[in-house]
Amino acid sequence: MRFPLFVLFAIFSALTVIADVYTLQTDSTVNPPATITINILTNNTQSIYGMEFTITDTPEKAVFSRVETTIRSAGALVTSYTQGADNTKIAMVLSGTGSGISAGTGSILRVLYSVSSGTGTVNFQPSNLIVYNKNGSAVPGNTISGTSVTLTSSSSSSSGSSSGSSGGGGGGGSGSSGGSGSSGASTSTSSYVPVSFPEPKRVPKETPAPTLPPLVIEAEPEKTAPVQQKPAKSTNLLGWIIVGFIVIIGGMLAIYIYKREEPVHKMPQNPPQNAQKK
């Protein structure tokens, strides 16, 4: 049983190292009108060469403004467009020939929303996160979590303070003589009552979704070994001349040795001419 447990532990450790966690972070409270800045934080263990995700804000009180890069993502190409009233698609691409976003901790993008009025809580929920490596392949196992912002109204707090000061004035009138006391009672009954007007409904403008540029990540050029130059033809010709010369010398030497070992046959001498005449 030890071997299967070890294999499972190794697989779990590998997945733990590869997977990274991404988080949306912003201020917990905002007083409209204001700008909501959401930082995309990560503690990535590997380089990032591209990513895309969608943010949904509910209820519809914040309006998407723009996306900005940070020091960690300087030089990246970032595109974004809205999908309906409360969905925003964001994509970021870095060149495959560089080092990408190196492993580290901090914000890699800033997403800005504008809010003009309203109260309550606005939730920003990300989804469909895809992170790309140097080869342009999706890295599995990454997760991303959302955040929320509470909108507070400055008019309600100011109206409460003004009604409190008005009630205090009425109490001061009752502390004087009898005739002034009736004046103080009338002041307390005519306290300030804040009037709240219904928030006008904003009709979101439908903007056509622009076409995102294709995610193209350039790969580093492969290093090729230097091509060895072939020797010149003159070198080959010189070699053949040397070989031919050696063959000729060898042949001459063989003929010489053969001539020396060949036996000499003496020819019979002719009889003298006088003897033939006799």
Side-chain angles (χ1 to χ4, degrees):
M1 292 297 292
R2 292 183 178 179
F3 179 74
L5 291 176
F6 175 78
V7 172
L8 291 175
F9 178 75
I11 295 173
F12 177 77
S13 301
L15 292 176
T16 304
V17 172
I18 294 175
D20 293 329
V21 177
Y22 297 80
T23 307
L24 273 62
Q25 186 183 63
T26 185
D27 296 332
S28 59
T29 304
V30 173
N31 188 6
T35 299
I36 300 175
T37 301
I38 300 176
N39 286 287
I40 312 299
L41 303 178
T42 181
N43 184 12
N44 56 306
T45 58
Q46 55 186 343
S47 298
I48 302 171
Y49 287 86
M51 67 181 304
E52 60 179 80
F53 57 94
T54 302
I55 298 180
T56 303
D57 57 294
T58 54
E60 178 58 30
K61 294 183 179 181
V63 179
F64 171 75
S65 177
R66 64 184 183 277
V67 182
E68 297 178 350
T69 58
T70 63
I71 297 177
R72 298 190 64 195
S73 59
L77 173 63
V78 181
T79 59
S80 61
Y81 64 91
T82 57
Q83 297 175 325
D86 52 2
N87 292 331
T88 303
K89 180 78 172 182
I90 298 172
M92 176 180 65
V93 180
L94 291 96
S95 174
T97 58
S99 59
I101 300 178
S102 304
T105 304
S107 176
I108 58 176
L109 286 176
R110 282 191 296 266
V111 185
L112 280 70
Y113 289 82
S114 62
V115 57
S116 58
S117 61
T119 57
T121 302
V122 181
N123 298 310
F124 296 90
Q125 185 61 41
S127 60
N128 302 326
L129 172 66
I130 303 176
V131 180
Y132 297 95
N133 59 15
K134 189 173 184 179
N135 298 325
S137 302
V139 180
N142 297 287
T143 59
I144 186 169
S145 58
T147 186
S148 61
V149 178
T150 301
L151 305 180
T152 60
S153 177
S154 59
S155 60
S156 61
S157 60
S158 61
S159 63
S161 61
S162 62
S163 62
S165 62
S166 174
S174 62
S176 50
S177 60
S180 300
S182 61
S183 173
S186 62
T187 304
S188 62
T189 56
S190 61
S191 59
Y192 172 75
V193 178
V195 179
S196 59
F197 296 93
E199 181 182 354
K201 294 183 179 180
R202 293 177 297 156
V203 179
K205 295 181 179 180
E206 293 290 340
T207 57
T211 304
L212 286 176
L215 182 61
V216 179
I217 298 179
E218 301 176 358
E220 289 186 348
E222 297 182 357
K223 296 182 180 179
T224 57
V227 180
Q228 297 182 354
Q229 296 182 355
K230 296 182 179 180
K233 293 183 178 179
S234 59
T235 304
N236 295 336
L237 180 62
L238 180 61
W240 283 109
I241 293 174
I242 294 174
V243 171
F245 182 76
I246 293 174
V247 171
I248 293 172
I249 296 298
M252 295 176 63
L253 183 62
I255 293 172
Y256 174 75
I257 294 173
Y258 177 77
K259 291 292 185 181
R260 290 192 59 182
E261 293 180 355
E262 183 181 3
V264 180
H265 301 283
K266 294 182 179 181
M267 298 296 295
Q269 295 182 356
N270 296 325
Q273 295 180 357
N274 297 329
Q276 292 179 356
K277 291 179 179 183
K278 290 180 179 183

